[in-house]
Amino acid sequence: MENNNQKGFASVSTPDGRYRIWMPRPTSSGRLVCSCSFALKKRLPLVDAIDALPYIQVEEIRDIDEDYSTFIITCKETPYHACMERLIEDLPKLMEEHLTELK
């Protein structure tokens, strides 16, 4: 699992690098518009798992095409940067559970 946090955004990927999510810093109202290297509407269990985290809420998902989508989340707790840090810690496990193929 690769995690990067630089230039105002963080990115998290599955161990094989096939799936990646980019997250900007939260806005002053606690919103993050995240970008994905895959279509979310085909992977709704991942969206449900993210939404089930107690400190964030998924507001909206948008599929652009098969290789790109976005989702908007809102932090339920302050400080918002701590919310993002928790998400960076929790997201790799969720991605591995819901995106990697069973072998």
Side-chain angles (χ1 to χ4, degrees):
M1 191 72 53
E2 178 185 336
N3 297 331
N4 292 319
N5 191 1
Q6 57 186 330
K7 301 198 183 211
F9 69 92
S11 69
V12 179
S13 70
T14 53
D16 62 4
R18 183 173 177 196
Y19 302 101
R20 181 173 299 274
I21 296 176
W22 294 271
M23 297 173 286
R25 291 182 182 162
T27 65
S28 61
S29 62
R31 293 182 69 180
L32 290 91
V33 179
C34 305
S35 301
C36 306
S37 65
F38 52 91
L40 278 169
K41 289 188 179 177
K42 292 183 179 179
R43 294 166 181 89
L44 291 177
L46 173 64
V47 176
D48 292 339
I50 294 169
D51 193 49
L53 296 170
Y55 54 90
I56 62 166
Q57 180 176 347
V58 176
E59 300 290 337
E60 180 180 343
I61 62 171
R62 295 180 191 156
D63 274 357
I64 308 303
D65 59 29
E66 299 259 339
D67 298 321
Y68 185 76
S69 59
T70 62
F71 64 104
I72 300 170
I73 58 175
T74 301
C75 296
K76 293 180 178 179
E77 303 172 359
T78 57
Y80 299 137
H81 67 85
C83 175
M84 181 180 175
E85 289 171 6
R86 287 179 68 187
L87 182 60
I88 290 169
E89 290 175 10
D90 292 339
L91 199 51
K93 182 179 180 205
L94 297 177
M95 290 174 69
E96 191 165 7
E97 287 175 8
H98 297 283
L99 295 178
T100 55
E101 266 52 48
L102 295 174
K103 295 181 180 182

